[in-house]
Each structure stands twice: as C-alpha cells, then as structure tokens.
C-alpha cells in the first residue's frame, strides 16, 4: 500500500498509524518469528521494529541467505536469534511450531509468498487454528476520513459464506477493541442498503446484523446492508433517510468478498492517499503479512497492531 503522510488537500497531518505506534509504546515488545527474512527489505523492516522496541525478532530461515540480506541492508545481527532451516517452507513450519510452543508471540512474513506462509499456519498439524476462521484486517488511515477505518476481509477469504463472515466480523471487532475503539460501528457492505433475495450480500448483511442483536457477535454496533457511500458519509445516509447508529460514521467495513475488499483497499490507497497496516486475526497469535510494496510506516504500524492484539483479551460471543 502507499506510504505517505500528505493529506488529500496537500497539508501534512498526523497519521492514525502514528497513533498505533504511540499506543504500542505502552506495552512490552513481543517475540516475533520473522519467516524467511532473506532480502534487505523484510530483514531491515524487522530490525527497525526491533530498534523501536515493538518486537524481539527471531529470524527463521537459511542462515547464509539471512546473513547475505544483512550485508545488503547494512545491518548487524549480533545478539539476534537465528533459527536456521533449509528453505522457506521449512521456515513457515518452524515459525508455527515456535508459536505453538510459546517461544514467540507473533509471526511476521518475510520474503516468501503469502500463500506459502498461510498454508503452514492453517495446516491442522500446526496447531495455530482456533474455533474462529482466520481473516485479515486492514487498518487504514484515510486523510479524508476523521477516524481509523478497518476493512475486512481483502486478503484471506475469497468468497466467504455466512458462517465465515460471522467470524470475519468478530475478528475485526476484536482488532478494533485492541486498537482502542471501545464500541466499533460495523457496516456490512453491499451494492445497496436494502435487502434483496437475489443479492446474497444483502441477505448475509441483514443476518449478521440480527446475529449481533442475539449476542452471536459481540462488542460492536452492527448494521447492514449498507452501500459504501451511506456507510461513510453522513450526508449520503441523510439523503436516503437511513436511521442507523452506524450509517455515515462506520469504523469497520465488512466487504462481501475478496475482490470487493482488494479493490476498495487499493482505491483508497491510490486515489485517497490512504496509509495501511494489516494483520491476520483468528489464529493463536497475530500474523503480519507485510509486503515489499509496504512503506516504512505501514510496516511499523503493522507491528504496532500486532503488539496491541497480542496484549488484548478478546470478548467471547455466545455460542
């Protein structure tokens, strides 16, 4: 995602991601397995987070490649724990084992494919699954929006059914709580704000709102279906006479599928100068899927989000 501190009107503003860093500074750094940090970008980002006292890195990967990456990045690995394995697949499996055994509190993606890491995480033998489906949450700072905006799921679940969406919503709520939003307002998005039997996104949204009424999803105000405009614009909500505690002032956007989420996140980044952090929720430990395209602040803010999630005890919904 883009990494810029410029507001849409050309002025500099303090980022919502800087706020995450300030919140995380109140906590102890978390032990983090860096999976296959074999290029200068992924290794350097992890070590900068270490210097900022966000994480205590455990580098998992081929020792010679990690050493070469350190030389390229101009970094010193003295005092940094390295768990040497032969290749990226073994690095992903070993990081999961370290998390299961309580040796690390979080996992960070290095220079391997996201799918390779997640395949190891979701493997039933890895032990990192919970009773919750895993999902990704983008934490967005949109210069034209007055509050942090969480978006889910744009990375992990391709075409979630209603049961999966329930977990996606609860994961996003738990993330919002960890980031200091006491009662997040969750908008479940669709193309329109009315329920239509031939539009599954609208019926799923209505069902999720009712689940919240019945205590199956907890800790938030949830409404849906809402179209994007009346989820984030009070004027759009007023124009359509939508009476809702969520419409126009959403903290969390739940998208119907990965295509919608991916396009929305990138549109906000490239057309609205949004900055982003990201984290996978629903596993035994938070997982950071940092990308080579991420800027410095995005990488550090993802670490900050993981710190806050690792130190947070989520609310349990009714079963």
């Amino acid at each position: 995602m883009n990494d810029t501190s410029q507001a849409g009107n050309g002025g500099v503003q303090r980022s919502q991601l800087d706020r995450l860093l300030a919140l995380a500074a109140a906590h102890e750094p978390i032990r983090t397995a860096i999976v296959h940090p074999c290029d200068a970008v992924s290794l350097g980002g992890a070590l900068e987070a270490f210097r900022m006292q966000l994480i205590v890195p455990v580098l998992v990967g081929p020792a010679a490649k990690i050493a070469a990456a350190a030389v390229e990045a101009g970094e010193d690995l003295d005092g940094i724990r390295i768990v040497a394995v032969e290749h990226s697949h073994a690095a992903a499996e070993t990081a999961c084992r370290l998390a299961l055994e309580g040796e690390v509190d979080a996992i960070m993606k290095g220079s391997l494919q996201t799918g390779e890491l997640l395949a190891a995480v979701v493997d039933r033998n890895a032990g990192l699954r919970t009773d919750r489906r895993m999902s990704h949450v983008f934490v967005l700072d949109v210069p034209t929006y007055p509050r942090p905006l969480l978006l889910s799921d744009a990375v992990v679940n391709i075409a979630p059914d209603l049961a999966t969406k329930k977990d996606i919503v609860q994961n996003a709520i738990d993330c919002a709580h960890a980031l200091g939003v006491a009662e997040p307002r969750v908008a479940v998005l669709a193309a329109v704000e009315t329920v239509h039997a031939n539009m599954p996104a609208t019926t799923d949204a209505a069902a999720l709102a009712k689940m919240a009424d019945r205590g199956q999803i907890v800790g938030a105000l949830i409404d849906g279906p809402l179209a994007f405009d009346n989820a984030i614009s009070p004027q759009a909500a007023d124009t359509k006479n939508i009476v809702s505690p969520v419409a126009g002032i959403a903290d969390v956007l739940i998208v119907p599928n990965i295509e919608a989420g991916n396009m929305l996140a990138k549109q906000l980044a490239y057309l609205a100068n949004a900055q982003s952090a990201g984290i996978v929720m629903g596993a035994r430990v938070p997982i950071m899927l940092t990308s080579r395209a991420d800027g410095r602040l995005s990488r550090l803010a993802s670490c900050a989000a993981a710190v806050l999630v690792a130190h947070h005890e989520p609310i349990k919904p009714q079963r």
Side-chain angles (χ1 to χ4, degrees), residues 7-29:
N9 60 7
V12 177
Q13 67 174 25
R14 181 172 173 80
S15 170
Q16 299 287 355
L17 302 190
D18 287 321
R19 170 183 166 273
L20 294 187
L21 292 171
L23 289 173
H27 296 282
E28 292 294 318

Side-chain angles (χ1 to χ4, degrees), residues 75-241:
E75 296 281 3
D76 185 350
L77 299 181
D78 283 352
I80 304 295
R81 181 184 175 190
I82 299 175
V83 179
V85 298
E86 292 185 0
H87 45 68
S88 58
H89 188 70
E93 291 180 341
T94 301
C96 292
R97 177 181 57 79
L98 293 172
L100 180 62
E101 294 174 355
E103 292 192 47
V104 298
D105 309 301
I107 292 173
M108 178 190 289
K109 173 180 170 289
S111 56
L112 76 169
Q113 294 295 318
T114 296
E116 185 176 13
L117 174 56
L118 290 181
V121 171
V122 302
D123 187 284
R124 294 190 182 278
N125 296 322
L128 295 187
R129 290 187 175 203
T130 67
D131 61 354
R132 189 88 60 78
R133 183 70 173 259
M134 296 179 203
S135 58
H136 183 271
V137 181
F138 272 123
V139 183
L140 295 161
D141 171 51
V142 185
T144 54
Y145 202 62
R147 62 185 62 83
L149 190 62
L150 276 61
L151 173 66
S152 191
D153 181 358
V155 175
V156 175
N157 294 286
I158 297 173
D161 59 15
L162 180 60
T164 301
K165 288 180 180 179
K166 172 180 175 289
D167 286 348
I168 289 171
V169 173
Q170 192 65 66
N171 285 341
I173 293 168
D174 290 348
C175 184
H177 288 170
L179 304 187
V181 184
E183 190 177 40
R185 294 167 292 234
V186 179
V188 187
L189 298 184
V192 295
E193 64 280 352
T194 52
V195 178
H196 293 273
N198 61 345
M199 298 179 70
T202 67
T203 56
D204 283 356
L208 292 166
K210 181 53 67 176
M211 285 180 177
D213 291 342
R214 300 294 168 84
Q216 293 173 270
I217 305 172
V218 296
L221 299 172
I222 303 176
D223 198 10
L226 290 171
F228 177 75
D229 57 346
N230 48 58
I232 56 91
S233 167
Q235 292 78 14
D238 288 344
T239 298
K240 294 199 173 183
N241 298 314

